[in-house]
Each structure stands twice: as C-alpha cells, then as structure tokens.
Amino acid sequence: MFDFLDSGQYDLLGAFWVTAKLALYSAIGSLIWGTALAAMRVSPVPLMRGFGTTYVNLVRNTPLTVVIVACSFGLDQTLGITLGADRSEDIGFRLAILGLIAYTGTFVCEALRSGINTVPAGQAEAARALGLSFFQVLTLVVLPQAFRAAVAPLANVLIALTKNTTVAAAIGAAEAALLMREMIENEADALFAVFAVFAFGFIVLTLPTGLFFGWAAKRLAVKR
Amino acid sequence: MSGESVSKSVPRGPEDTPRATDDLVVLSGVNKHFGALHVLQDIDLTISRGEVVVVIGPSGSGKSTLCRTINRLESVDSGTITIDGKPLPAEGRELARLRSDVGMVFQSFNLFAHKTVLENVMLGQIKVRKTEKKAAEEKARALLDRVGVGTQADKYPAQLSGGQQQRVAIARALAMGPKVMLFDEPTSALDPEMINEVLEVMQQLARDGMTMVVVTHEMGFARSAANRVVFMADGRIVEQATPEEFFSNPRSDRAKDFLSKILHH
C-alpha cells in the first residue's frame, strides 16, 4: 500500500523540509511583527494605535489564500518585487513567508495583547514611577510577563501557522502540499495512504510544538 | 490654606535660607475630576525639604489621588505642581527624569513579579541612572540589608511575605536616591503582624531626614513620625496641623467626627 514511498520518485523529506523552513521563518517573523503590532496597539500615540487596530482587523479577517495570492500576483507579477530570488520556486517560497508573517502577526499580536491584560496595572505604574520610559516599561516589565502568560495561546497560533504553510502551494512553493497534489494525481489507487502520510508528517511537526509549549507555559508562568 | 500659612507651621528647616529653596513639593490650585466626581478641589499644599507629611481622611476623600498626582501617575485638570522648583512636565523624557527623583511605594507593593528581589532593586539604577551593574548590586544589597531583607535577595517576590515585599519596595524606591518619597497606604494590604516591620523602616527613614508624603490609616505612625498632619475630606484639605494639635484638638467638625470614629474602639 505504501510502495510509492520506496519508488524514489518523490522527495517526501525534502518537501517537508521546505514546510518546516516555511513554518520556522514565518514563526520568527510573525513573532517579531506581532510584538511590534501589540506594542503599537498599547502605545500612547493615537496614530500608532489606529494603525495597529486597523491593520489587525483588516488582515486577520482576510482569508490567508487571498493574502498569499495577493503577495504573488500583486508584488511579484505586478510590481516585480521578488525579494531577491531568481527561480520561481524561491520567489514563491519567499513571498509565502512574507504573506504568512503579515497574516500570522495579527494573531500573535492578539495573543500577546491577552497576555498584556494579565499583567496587573500596578506593574507598569511601578515601572513608570522609577522613571523608565514607555519603551522600557514595555520591554523590561510588561512584555516579559505578557509573553509568559501568552505561551499557551501562542502555541495555538504556531500550530495553525505550520498547517497554514500548505497554502503556499498555491503560489508554487515546493512544500508538502504541492507534493501531495502531485502524488494524488499519480497514485490515485493509494489515495488514503497518501493522505495518511501527509497527515502524519504534519503531526510530527506540530505535536512536539504543542507539547514543548505546554511544558514551557507551566515552567515560565509568573507566580503572583 | 495658602502655601504661606502652611510653611509657617512647619517646625523644621533653617531660618536663614530663602523659602524658595526650602519648598520641595508645591501644589497650587490643583483640581481633578473622575468623570462627574470632583476628586481634588483647589488643593494648595507645600512640602518642605526634610518634612514628613501624613495625609489622613475617610476613604474616597482623594488622599491617594493627591499622592499619585505628585509624580503624575494621575494627571490633573488644572493647577500646578512643582518639585524642587521645576514644574511637573506633562509627558515624555522630562517626566520620566522627574519621576526618577520621586520614590513611590504602593499599597499593593507592585514588585516586578518576573524578577528577583535583587533585580527589582537594581533595575532602576541600571536602566535609568545608568549605574554600573556591580555598583548597582552593591547598593541594592546594602539597601536590602538596611530594610532587613538582605537574606531574601535571590528569591522572587511571590516567595516573600507581604511585609517583606513592602520593605523591598521601599528599598527599590530608595535605590534611585529620591528627593521625596510618596507612600500610598503602604500598610493597608498587610496582615496586622507585618505592619510594624514596615512602619519601623519608614520611621527610620523619617529620622534620617527623608522628605515623605504618607497616606495612611496608621494614627500611631502619624503621631510619632509626622511633622504635619493633613486631613482631607470630599476632595478638599479640611485641616492641617502638627500631630499633637490635630489629635488632641481638631478644629473642624469633619475631623472631630473622623477621629471619634477611629480612635475609640
């Protein structure tokens, strides 16, 4: 039933490696972008708050496929922005990361904001009373505690991100879902075996993420 | 209730220095609303260098708000506040610099929960005063010893008792070398047996000549450590006098009523 794996025709590991790289780079990028968005949403500057709120509500409510395809058609094919890549595969890979960061950043921002809400107002007041600037209060006192409280919801976001990388197939990034499409066409008689292989591959990627973050959430929790 | 009459009642302070340098904190015509509630009404208050002022009054009288306006944790609607001759800036770097000269101790301690006791006392020194890490640690340990929690330096706030946490909070404020210390009901959240250990630290500070504004319900502390008692009710300063005068011979009915309720049981 699983003979197609031995044929040497499909680079399964290679495809999942691309998926893993997509997920990893997008995760790093969206953590940074999401933190910046959260900082904007709690900042005292009305313009930044307005931008943060508008961006999050706009992008969060747009289907990921639309965001990713817009990156490909809008940036690459219309404006010629390829992020320094030449081969179409690489262009797809890089633009997919850009789209995933733009999209996942909004969820990271909201997870972080819920974490910020668990930090008692007195913590920021005490920090301000010491003479720390807004940026210092945020980075030294509020965000470190917010991140610890947000570990569990952030795990959800990162698991969803890992699975969302499959949308990158739509713009030709050579990741697992693209290979799956090819295998479904070629191995129609072993359809469910193909599904099982890919489902298993994603579980291998996401299950440890969830377990690790569950452990980290307990370990890092701030005692009050 | 002008600044003039206030500073005359101050028992301490050299006679020959000009008044302007003697007044550390000056509030004049301060008004503040919370929605429809007029929580501070035309507050005039002058606090001299080295003076210990205790603010008492029924809850909701605005005494905590008054304390918090002095380092602008609460903004004011009108009036001016100056600290050491400089008007309180509205925001930004200037405000942060001014706040670093004003120590604040909160009812709920507000120690940074993710940092150890030692790190709590070092943070402001390193990030605001730009002190070397080693010097900051030395000073922090000395201050923790001074308030009697030197052995707890490497623990996290949640591992300490309330009294210990509040003493750490005092050390954290002192680490900045403040010109004035504000205490916003520092013992109200403490178990009775821990109140004294905090009051003793505060009394020692008062004896060392620290300028202090203390909002409290501890009448014993007001009697023994204060130079002046300020009695507030309904957003106004109703009366101010030396502790002996205030407790033995309150002038206003509001103060008489308040004292009769808290002193006889």
Side-chain angles (χ1 to χ4, degrees):
Chain A
M1 195 177 174
F2 288 96
D3 337 326
F4 58 86
L5 291 178
D6 301 326
S7 68
Q9 189 186 343
Y10 307 111
D11 184 10
L12 202 59
L13 280 181
F16 268 108
W17 177 234
V18 174
T19 295
K21 279 196 292 186
L22 266 178
L24 184 69
Y25 295 149
S26 307
I28 294 168
S30 49
L31 281 175
I32 295 168
W33 178 225
T35 308
L37 283 172
M40 286 184 212
R41 290 204 71 173
V42 299
S43 94
V45 185
L47 190 73
M48 290 178 110
R49 271 207 311 274
F51 172 80
T53 309
T54 312
Y55 177 90
V56 166
N57 282 313
L58 217 65
V59 178
R60 181 174 60 168
N61 294 309
T62 308
L64 177 60
T65 317
V66 174
V67 175
I68 298 271
V69 172
C71 278
S72 175
F73 282 88
L75 293 182
D76 173 18
Q77 297 179 17
T78 309
L79 298 173
I81 298 169
T82 59
L83 303 177
D86 306 320
R87 298 189 312 147
S88 74
E89 250 181 44
D90 289 344
I91 295 173
F93 179 76
R94 291 183 190 189
L95 286 173
I97 289 175
L98 184 71
L100 283 166
I101 290 173
Y103 179 80
T104 314
T106 64
F107 293 92
V108 169
C109 165
E110 293 304 284
L112 259 185
R113 240 165 34 100
S114 74
I116 289 174
N117 287 337
T118 68
V119 181
Q123 296 280 311
E125 274 185 357
R128 272 154 59 204
L130 282 180
L132 296 171
S133 66
F134 169 79
F135 188 73
Q136 287 177 316
V137 173
L138 195 67
T139 53
L140 297 173
V141 175
V142 177
L143 280 180
Q145 296 186 52
F147 265 112
R148 290 159 197 242
V151 170
L154 280 176
N156 280 339
V157 171
L158 293 184
I159 287 172
L161 165 68
T162 308
K163 296 187 291 181
N164 282 344
T165 56
T166 50
V167 176
I171 60 171
E175 47 71 70
L178 197 71
L179 181 66
M180 184 174 82
R181 199 191 293 171
E182 188 189 333
M183 284 169 74
I184 288 171
E185 276 174 30
N186 299 346
E187 312 289 342
D189 51 336
L191 206 53
F192 286 101
V194 172
F195 287 151
V197 164
F198 281 92
F200 179 74
F202 274 95
I203 287 172
V204 166
L205 285 178
T206 54
L207 200 62
T209 312
L211 291 175
F212 172 75
F213 275 88
W215 171 81
K218 264 190 213 138
R219 228 197 113 94
L220 293 174
V222 180
K223 289 176 192 69
R224 299 200 190 277
Chain B
M1 210 85 43
S2 71
E4 204 66 39
S5 68
V6 168
S7 61
K8 269 179 197 153
S9 70
V10 174
R12 277 200 241 158
E15 304 292 315
D16 49 356
T17 47
R19 236 200 76 206
T21 59
D22 223 355
D23 296 339
L24 190 53
V25 181
V26 181
L27 290 82
S28 66
V30 169
N31 279 283
K32 160 112 191 146
H33 296 79
F34 283 134
L37 182 68
H38 198 169
V39 66
L40 293 180
Q41 307 183 21
D42 296 317
I43 301 288
D44 292 311
L45 181 66
T46 305
I47 295 149
S48 306
R49 208 177 296 277
E51 197 185 6
V52 177
V53 174
V54 166
V55 184
I56 62 175
S59 32
S61 59
K63 52 193 193 307
S64 275
T65 310
L66 174 73
C67 188
R68 291 163 57 87
T69 55
I70 297 176
N71 67 354
R72 219 171 195 285
L73 283 180
E74 299 287 353
S75 59
V76 297
D77 299 335
S78 65
T80 57
I81 300 172
T82 61
I83 292 177
D84 213 0
K86 278 176 250 154
L88 208 51
E91 55 193 21
R93 210 173 295 255
E94 285 300 307
L95 177 60
R97 188 171 311 147
L98 199 132
R99 275 177 176 153
S100 68
D101 289 336
V102 180
M104 177 106 188
V105 176
F106 300 85
Q107 180 177 353
S108 49
F109 329 134
N110 294 346
L111 292 178
F112 305 130
H114 63 305
K115 292 192 175 291
T116 64
V117 163
L118 187 67
E119 288 166 345
N120 264 276
V121 185
M122 287 167 65
L123 185 74
Q125 297 186 66
I126 293 172
K127 298 296 177 182
V128 179
R129 294 276 184 252
K130 312 288 179 200
T131 314
E132 286 285 318
K133 202 174 168 207
K134 200 160 163 247
E137 181 174 339
E138 247 166 56
K139 188 173 184 184
R141 287 198 188 275
L143 282 167
L144 288 170
D145 282 337
R146 182 168 152 198
V147 299
V149 286
T151 53
Q152 317 288 327
D154 298 316
K155 290 188 180 169
Y156 284 88
Q159 296 170 288
L160 268 56
S161 74
Q164 290 172 325
Q165 287 191 53
Q166 193 60 300
R167 285 183 283 156
V168 174
I170 294 173
R172 177 175 68 178
L174 287 175
M176 305 300 289
K179 292 174 179 164
V180 53
M181 289 276 284
L182 310 175
F183 294 82
D184 185 6
E185 304 206 21
T187 56
S188 299
L190 294 176
D191 292 339
E193 75 264 31
M194 293 169 185
I195 290 176
N196 277 336
E197 62 190 51
V198 172
L199 290 181
E200 269 161 32
V201 169
M202 290 167 61
Q203 237 140 11
Q204 186 58 49
L205 263 182
R207 279 197 292 273
D208 293 347
M210 175 62 75
T211 311
M212 292 162 68
V213 178
V214 185
V215 175
T216 188
H217 295 293
E218 295 297 327
M219 299 305 147
F221 177 81
R223 269 181 211 276
S224 62
N227 300 120
R228 176 157 47 118
V229 172
V230 170
F231 176 73
M232 282 187 78
D234 304 319
R236 290 177 189 282
I237 295 179
V238 177
E239 187 170 342
Q240 40 186 331
T242 61
E244 305 85 64
E245 210 178 304
F246 178 78
F247 287 111
S248 57
N249 188 21
R251 286 174 310 224
S252 62
D253 292 340
R254 199 75 182 75
K256 282 177 194 160
D257 180 52
F258 177 75
L259 287 174
S260 73
K261 279 176 185 153
I262 57 162
L263 293 179
H264 304 295
H265 58 81

